[in-house]
Each structure stands twice: as C-alpha cells, then as structure tokens.
Amino acid sequence: MPVSLYMLMCLHDPAHGYYATRPAFNVDFTTAPETSQVFGELLGLWAAHEWMAMGSPSPFWLIELGPGRGVMMADMLRAGRAVPGFIEAAQVTLIEASPALREEQSERLSDYTITHSDSLDAVPAGPCIIIGNEFLDCMAVRQFVRDGNGWRERQIGFSGANRLAFGIGPSAELPSNVLPVGDHVEVAPALETFVESVARRFRHDPGRALLVDYGPDDRSPGDTLRAYRQGAQVDPLADPGACDLTADVDFGRLGRICASEGLAVHGPMQQGYFLTRLGAWERTRALAAANPERADEITAAVTRLVAPEDMGALFKAVCLAPVAAAAPPGF
Ligand code: SAH
C-alpha cells in the first residue's frame, strides 16, 4: 500500500487507529499549548485582533482544527474576554477526529457553548477565524523516490511472515506544485483539498486561517515520516496504530497552492519571532510577577517555545487570508 494509506489507517482506523484509541498527550508527545498557557493566550488575542480587522462580525465562526485536549481553545477564550464583544460573537466549533478527544474538549470547555464539526466544509457559511496547531503534520503523505528522470511511489508491504517493510512501487507522476530537492519527496494530497476549502469560504465571507506547525520553508520535505511513542522516536513500521505518526509540512507547496487559489499567505514565520512579536515576554513577565513561586517554571516553558534551539525555529506560523487584508500581527 502507499505510505499515505498506511498513515491513514494507523492514525484513523476506527477500531485500532492511534487517534481513535489512545492519543496520549504529554506521554507520546507534548505540544506548544501543553507547554505554556502563554501560547493559547497570545493566539486568542491574535484572533480577537483579526476579528476587529474583519469589522467585528457578529456572529462569526471560531474554528479550531485538531484541538487535542482543548487546552489552547480554553486559553484563547480566557484571553479573548479582554476584547469587548469577541467572546459573545464567537461561535466556537472544533474539528476533531478522535471521539475520546471530543469528549475531553467538551468537558474542558464546558463554560462555553461549543460544537464539533466533522470537517471544514461542514461548518456553515459565514465570517470565520480558523486556528490549528500541529494539525497539518497529521496529514497522510505519499512518498516518492527518484528513478532516473522519473519517480516511483514508495510503498509498504510484508517482507516475510509478519514484518512490514518499505518497497518501491510503479512509476508515478509528481504533482506540479512540488519542488523536490534530492531523491526523496513527500506530498500530502489533503493539503490541496484543505486550501481549496479555506479559499471557498474566503471568497464569500471574510476570514483568516492561522496554522502553526513544523517543516522546512524553502524546499519540499524528503523522507520525514516519523513515529513517536512515550516521548521517543520509534520505527514507524514497528507497531502500527500504537504510535503517533507525523510528517513535516511543505510550507513552500502550501504557499503555491494558496497562490493558485487566489489567497495571500503571510509567513512562514518562525514561532520564536512570531510569539515574541505578539508579546510573549511581556505576558511572561506579568504571569511570573503574579505567581512568584512559579516564576522560573513559567519562564522556562516560554523559553522552550521561543528559543531557536528548542521549538522556536523548527515551528513556523503561517496565515492564509484574502489578498486585500493587511498583514496580521506577528508577521
Ligand atoms: N492542537 C493540539 C493537538 C495536536 S495533535 C495541540 O497543539 O495540543 C493533532 C490533533 O489533530 C489531535 O487532536 C488529532 O486527534 C487531530 N486530528 C488529526 N487528524 C485529524 C483529521 N483528519 N480531522 C480532524 N482531527 C484530526
């Protein structure tokens, strides 16, 4: 089978898939909103700023893609209360594949009226702000290997009785919006569908989509499929369905797809710069002053998000917007 089908089955199989059965936050992996509340708070204020830039539409859709445990939305909404009218206007809807995580999100956000939606297309028309942290890296990727002047698709199958192995399939065409460097390239077909869906919304109503994720900004990823279990990187073929699988995001291709759909892209901007420009250190100092017994811990967590040798340079923020909109804060 193609690598993309393997990834889809491992993550989303309703009986045995990772997200259906055992997404283990803070065990298999830790994300930015799980590291510091400052992350979600700054994104909440970012969203409120863009809501005002859109003319403060009421109501509007506040859509989160892959909200995990719901921590980021809780931090966003708490911070968003500082902006009059924002919370009252926000119709929060969460797009989440995992039934277990949907339940946890509903509990954590029980002070607010929220709904779940099956996909972006399922959210009714209207102005919207879309946010997603570590959502695009979950998209299933096809892998291609150079063969002379052409390409072949990498596949996964059995080698021996019970062992999975990579192999090379028939020759295949690369999509035109991929710019490979080297002999391996990864392509997430769903990235195209996703941007088309955002573009369709923004053609009729004002909107912004802010995505934070990891990946190179200047070339298409090669072989970056990775599996994580209990904080360690493991063999992606060793225990299908038991590990989180991810791949780098191709920000260059994302930009090219947006251009062909008539959308502007701001960024990719390194997370460290993005958060610093949004006021990460001002907020950290205020939090530390209010909680002196936790000041070191609070500062260390934000340092992890911002420092280039930690998450600050690897992670990037991009904003998809209608071309006429002014550059959003942080870019
Ligand atoms: N944003 C959260 C979680 C990131 S993990 C955080 O930063 O902590 C990825 C999230 O996306 C999980 O909640 C996972 O269940 C969800 N997810 C992955 N693929 C999805 C899909 N195709 N549709 C909806 N949700 C998906």
Side-chain angles (χ1 to χ4, degrees):
M1 66 175 80
V3 174
S4 50
L5 181 55
Y6 175 78
M7 211 171 156
L8 273 178
M9 289 169 72
C10 286
L11 289 179
H12 295 292
D13 182 272
H16 307 290
Y18 180 76
Y19 284 129
T21 57
R22 62 186 109 203
F25 278 79
N26 305 320
V27 177
D28 292 336
F29 56 88
T30 298
T31 61
E34 300 281 344
T35 301
S36 168
Q37 69 184 75
V38 171
F39 187 81
E41 290 171 347
L42 294 175
L43 264 54
L45 293 175
W46 184 95
H49 180 278
E50 289 308 287
W51 171 70
M52 289 188 284
M54 284 162 37
S56 307
S58 183
F60 76 101
W61 290 107
L62 181 55
I63 305 171
E64 186 176 355
L65 308 166
R69 300 196 313 130
V71 171
M72 184 169 102
M73 184 54 78
D75 292 337
M76 285 179 65
L77 294 175
R78 194 179 58 252
R81 283 186 203 274
V83 177
F86 176 68
I87 297 295
E88 293 71 20
Q91 292 175 310
V92 177
T93 190
L94 310 177
I95 297 175
E96 173 55 62
S98 159
L101 289 177
R102 279 189 178 207
E103 221 167 276
E104 189 167 350
Q105 292 154 11
S106 297
E107 272 169 37
R108 180 154 288 111
L109 297 166
S110 59
D111 287 350
Y112 304 92
T113 307
I114 63 144
T115 56
H116 281 101
S117 302
D118 288 331
S119 68
L120 197 51
D121 288 342
V123 182
C128 68
I129 294 182
I130 303 167
I131 306 258
N133 183 59
E134 292 209 39
F135 176 74
L136 299 178
D137 66 80
C138 304
M139 284 183 175
V141 291
R142 297 175 70 187
Q143 291 190 331
F144 299 89
V145 181
R146 199 185 287 277
D147 177 31
N149 288 331
W151 293 85
R152 285 172 180 263
E153 180 151 12
R154 210 168 175 218
Q155 304 213 320
I156 294 172
F158 281 111
S159 100
N162 233 338
R163 241 191 86 236
L164 290 174
F166 286 104
I168 304 292
S171 50
E173 288 280 314
L174 286 189
S176 58
N177 50 31
V178 175
L179 287 185
V181 174
D183 294 335
H184 291 261
V185 66
E186 270 172 359
V187 184
L191 194 60
E192 208 139 16
T193 332
F194 168 70
V195 175
E196 284 163 11
S197 167
V198 172
R200 251 194 317 277
R201 297 194 71 96
F202 291 5
R203 247 168 245 138
H204 302 291
D205 292 299
R208 308 281 188 270
L210 178 68
L211 301 152
V212 181
D213 226 306
Y214 43 79
D217 50 13
D218 52 348
R219 66 201 148 76
S220 289
D223 175 9
T224 73
L225 175 70
R226 298 184 291 285
Y228 289 96
R229 195 173 190 183
Q230 307 203 322
Q233 201 175 328
V234 296
D235 174 3
L237 302 187
D239 207 349
C243 321
D244 184 34
L245 290 181
T246 84
D248 278 4
V249 175
D250 187 341
F251 286 107
R253 178 165 165 259
L254 176 67
R256 289 186 289 279
I257 300 171
C258 286
S260 69
E261 289 292 326
L263 286 183
V265 182
H266 303 278
M269 173 65 68
Q270 290 186 5
Q271 174 170 292
Y273 293 122
F274 180 67
L275 296 179
T276 301
R277 286 171 177 213
L278 293 185
W281 294 115
E282 287 79 356
R283 175 61 184 143
T284 304
R285 275 195 290 278
L287 258 185
N291 303 274
E293 71 295 345
R294 289 181 49 228
D296 289 350
E297 177 199 329
I298 289 166
T299 307
V302 176
T303 304
R304 272 205 295 286
L305 300 183
V306 170
E309 63 279 12
D310 215 319
M311 296 168 79
L314 178 65
F315 282 77
K316 284 144 198 148
V318 286
C319 176
L320 283 48
V323 272
F331 292 94

